[in-house]
Amino acid sequence: MIAINVHSQTKVTLKLESASFDQVINEIQNQTFYRFVFSERKIPDKKITINVKNKETFKVLDQILTNTNYNYKLLSKNLIVIKLRSIEDQDVDSVKMLNEVIVTALNIKKENRKIGYSVSTIDGSLLTKARESNLAMALEGLVAGLNVSGVNGGPGSSSRILLRGAASKDAGPPLFIINGIPIDNTQRGSANEYGGVDYGDGISNINPDDVETITVLKGSSASALYGARAANGVIIITIKSGKRKSGNSVEYNSNFSFDNPVNNTDYQYVYGQGAQNLRPQNIAGAIATGILSWGEKMDGLPSVQINGENHPYAPVKDNIKRFYRTAPAFTNTISLNGGSDKSSYHASASILDYQSILRNSDLNRKTSNIFASYDLTKKLTLTLNGNYIYERGKNRSYLSDGPINANYGINAIATSADQALLAPGYDVNTGAETRWNADEYKTNPYFTINKKEDNATRDRLISSALIKYDLSNSLFLQGRFGYDVSNDHVISIVPTGTAFSINGQGGINALNQSKTSELNTDILLSGNRDITKDLNIDVSAGASFRNRRTKSNELTGTQFIIPYLYTVDNLSAVSSKDALSRIVTQSAYYTVDFDFKKFLTVSSTGRYDVYSTLPSNNRGIFVPSVSGSFIFSNFLKVKGLDFGKIRASFAQTSGEPAVPYTTQVYYSSDKSINGVPLGNFSRDLPNYNLKPFTLNEFETGINLKLFGNKIDLDFTYFHRITNKEIINAGQSVATGFTSAYVNLGKTRNTGIETSIQTNLITNENFSWKAGINASHINNLLISIDGISSYAFGGTYRPLNANTALVVGKSITQIMAYDYQRDKNGNIIIGSDGVPKRGEMKPMGSILPSYYGGFSNNFQYKSFSLSFLIDYKFGNKVLSATENYSYVLGLNRATLYGRETGIVANGVYENGETNTTNVPAYNYYPALATNISALSVLNGSFIKLRQVVLGYTFSSKILNKTPFKNASIDLIGRNLLTILKYTKNIDPESQFSPSLAYAGIEGASLPATRTFGINLNLKFK
């Protein structure tokens, strides 16, 4: 064995030709503090030519070990072992803190020991097996502090991502960065209580096969250099770039999966279709009661159905299974990688074809990506990256309680009615919708899937260019340019024959065209210098410019004159609206690290922003941060302690209004009279004295690596206060306005985050790795506008409950009506025999206070098995399904009193005991309408999120094949709900990504269970 001495730095400069492996290692040890251990008989037997300047040791090791069967491992005390690659070494931890270099704000790479705030990094390979159609959804349960949820709207639907809870009333997703450039993550379309369609968000366009790593910057210190857009944190995506001197390689990844709908309902199947305890007697009665299960006890005897035929009056429990389909999804990606002495590249092309479980609905996405880096001279490097996306969504599902939503009907259909009898949903002679219930706005589900036309396309180009000039070995200047432009087109048709449309003539629900562009440019000067033998300074300073533009045209129209001719010229009435907006931000910033003897680092950042969305006299704000890290394991010698770091930071970030044009009155054209357009203006009173809000955060934590790096523990505590939030506060209509923008909101967020990664067993044939992350968030709304105690947010179609901001409670609460009670706690019953409505009160937060994940990875020889369990506790759900299950007679609770009627337990207002008997079919609908607290459910859950069983083919098997590496994996996603408290819904079901509508459920697509297979081939 050979052991090499220790030196004091991590970067090397090498210029060697045809050198042996041990010559290269000797040269590295002469320039660094690392020691190496390896067998002279077991090292790569090849000549190495290498020319690098001031490059990290780990990068050099990656380079010289490429295409060999060797790898390295960093142990304690800066000891690196080089050995033959084993099966266990091919495994990648699900979430790990990188020991060498971490990508931080502005794409600045820092050694982990220097970082004074919490950062998590995820390897991109974890996202390509048990994959999601929206990249963000694959992050669920992987990172402490990261709360991910999504819309149940089918493939490519939007995600809701919150880091460390809701930092403010307008808390939204973190800022996404791709290779140093901010990208647009705007959500396109959404549903509310009256229905709508979710067309996806910006991050859903990214191909996971192109992702090298994802770095999550959670706190304000980590993200302060990005300014206002990073108030909710930052997620940095590093795209694959190829490696220099690696030769050319080809990789092919194919993923096939299929989604199965999951029936989460637990309805009563004792009583069947009908009203007032009677089954339908004729076709008219069957149609009138299509969604009512207030009939007789089911006895299996022939009974008239919706289509006029007689069928057994018996339970039909598989309507959901038979209406929806098993939906396949194919993803095929081919990529080319390589590099020479002066260049590296990565190019890929991918096709996603993802069918929805709703028939006649699918998502098709084509992406291509190219990354290229080239040394124009020894000091000048040019890097280019381009990502083109073309996406077509066909007939995305309508959501919530609105017409043309197939989900509502299937979920509400009477317990003895067969959904197949609704097909084809229209009269084959006239094309008119076939009615199946008393409400024309409850569209026939089969009419929806067979006649609806709702198509959305997106053309998007995300591009960037970086030019970097090395002024010296320790000083460089770089300029960066990024441009993200999207063109979206949506056409949504209300078909001819639709029952709720005027005279059944249909119309155009939406014909929208929009263009969104995001231009970001920056310049950065960065240097590193030893001030003394023991003190090093690393400093960067720069400036940036952001220009965001949006332009849109929206058109709606009613009554097609010629049936089935779906053009604008064929409409009887048309209205349109054009909109244009622009946001500009100019910024300057710095970051500096003082490193003392490689065990103590003190860092500071500062950023000055000028926002165009604020008044000219209040547009600028300076936001600072300071952080520190101390490697105490260098001094505290404790058995089993390999590494120990404590860290602390304080930072301030700022924010601007969520929408532009809030500081002045702007006029717009509105409807016209006799061809003359009318003027209009917003009823929101502008504020010329509006200022940026500020978010102050303190964070501290500790990182321990124990027992030969078998245990990696990370703990973080944070405390953040958001001040002077920009609130749209209510105003007296006597002012001519209904609300005004003011700086009055205040929110407090505190919490802890814990992550434990372990290598429980590691030997030649078997390894077992386990990890757990846990977060606890304590959120408090301190002030809304200085006067109001609450402000409503979203609601659901029953319109008897809301989400709301409530002073003294966490963001966001569900406000619902409880029972009215007397001073003794007795429920007060009205003269109609139904409990009376009490006051509307907070019922709990829609966001979890506890959440996290638990992962395990087993490897035996060439086989691997991994699984992920995640959980959320402490959140509530406002469920429209629960409300309707009482109203329509579906809920099991409605079984009581069907034959006898109900005498509610309570007293009249005069104190006398209630004696009024109410038929169940009257009692339960009235109860659900009065007492909306019945629709507020415990949203806590534990789920088996994913399982992956894989096999990696050995080099012996592949010896005579064209493949260098090959692996195959069987995957499962969203496999099992281990614990839930919602009896009739999936606790994660929701129809909108907006925080105002978070936690509200109703008439979405059912949850799915996914199975599939992933094949990865790397060619020689």
Side-chain angles (χ1 to χ4, degrees), residues 286-439:
I287 292 174
T289 60
I291 57 174
L292 297 179
S293 296
W294 293 113
E296 304 169 17
K297 267 191 177 181
M298 289 184 275
D299 51 19
L301 296 176
S303 179
V304 66
Q305 295 289 325
I306 295 168
N307 64 348
E309 298 175 358
N310 286 323
H311 291 272
Y313 194 60
V316 182
K317 298 182 178 181
D318 59 354
N319 278 325
I320 288 178
K321 179 181 179 180
R322 291 191 295 124
F323 177 75
Y324 297 100
R325 63 180 174 178
T326 296
F330 293 90
T331 305
N332 289 283
T333 302
I334 188 167
S335 61
L336 308 176
N337 302 275
S340 64
D341 293 348
K342 294 184 177 182
S343 65
S344 66
Y345 74 90
H346 166 82
S348 71
S350 181
I351 297 178
L352 166 70
D353 188 359
Y354 206 130
Q355 303 292 309
S356 171
I357 59 172
L358 186 67
R359 301 172 195 275
N360 201 28
S361 174
D362 64 77
L363 176 72
N364 183 275
R365 182 190 303 141
K366 299 177 177 68
T367 61
S368 58
N369 181 77
I370 186 165
F371 176 96
S373 179
Y374 184 75
D375 293 341
L376 299 174
T377 70
K378 291 183 178 180
K379 294 187 176 184
L380 186 64
T381 301
L382 175 65
T383 302
L384 301 173
N385 184 217
N387 189 1
Y388 174 73
I389 302 106
Y390 176 78
E391 181 180 276
R392 178 194 55 79
K394 177 185 177 183
N395 290 332
R396 291 180 187 254
S397 175
Y398 274 63
L399 306 172
S400 186
D401 186 0
I404 323 181
N405 182 358
N407 307 301
Y408 180 93
I410 292 303
N411 204 43
I413 193 170
T415 51
S416 60
D418 187 345
Q419 55 82 35
L421 302 181
L422 277 59
Y426 59 91
D427 187 304
V428 294
N429 296 314
T430 66
E433 178 187 348
T434 303
R435 296 291 301 277
W436 70 288
N437 68 86
D439 186 352

Side-chain angles (χ1 to χ4, degrees), residues 750-764:
T750 61
I752 58 174
E753 300 162 352
T754 303
S755 174
I756 303 174
Q757 304 296 321
T758 64
N759 288 296
L760 298 175
I761 299 175
T762 303
N763 58 45
E764 184 176 356

Side-chain angles (χ1 to χ4, degrees), residues 790-802:
Y790 64 87
F792 285 139
T795 185
Y796 64 165
R797 190 59 179 269
L799 303 179
N800 58 2
N802 291 78

Side-chain angles (χ1 to χ4, degrees), residues 56-110:
E56 285 290 338
T57 297
F58 294 102
K59 297 281 188 182
V60 173
L61 290 175
D62 287 338
Q63 181 175 330
I64 65 176
L65 292 174
T66 297
N67 298 324
T68 73
N69 201 29
Y70 294 81
N71 69 351
Y72 63 90
K73 185 174 184 180
L74 175 66
L75 303 180
S76 59
K77 304 185 185 301
N78 301 312
L79 184 66
I80 297 176
V81 175
I82 296 175
K83 60 189 180 69
L84 279 168
R85 185 182 300 274
S86 64
I87 294 300
E88 68 194 34
D89 296 320
Q90 297 171 21
D91 180 54
V92 181
D93 293 339
S94 62
V95 181
K96 62 183 181 180
M97 299 296 290
L98 299 182
N99 284 315
E100 64 278 18
V101 171
I102 290 178
V103 178
T104 64
L106 303 181
N107 237 37
I108 296 173
K109 297 178 180 179
K110 292 187 179 183

Side-chain angles (χ1 to χ4, degrees), residues 874-903:
N875 59 299
K876 301 292 185 179
V877 176
L878 178 59
S879 171
T881 299
E882 190 73 4
N883 177 279
Y884 292 140
S885 70
Y886 279 91
V887 173
L888 304 178
L890 297 168
N891 199 294
R892 283 181 175 269
T894 66
L895 289 174
Y896 175 73
R898 289 267 184 156
E899 308 288 344
T900 61
I902 297 168
V903 179

Side-chain angles (χ1 to χ4, degrees), residues 6-26:
V6 62
H7 285 262
S8 60
Q9 69 176 49
T10 64
K11 294 183 179 181
V12 295
T13 298
L14 301 174
K15 188 175 183 180
L16 299 170
E17 291 185 7
S18 299
S20 65
F21 182 83
D22 56 349
Q23 286 177 321
V24 177
I25 295 299
N26 281 324

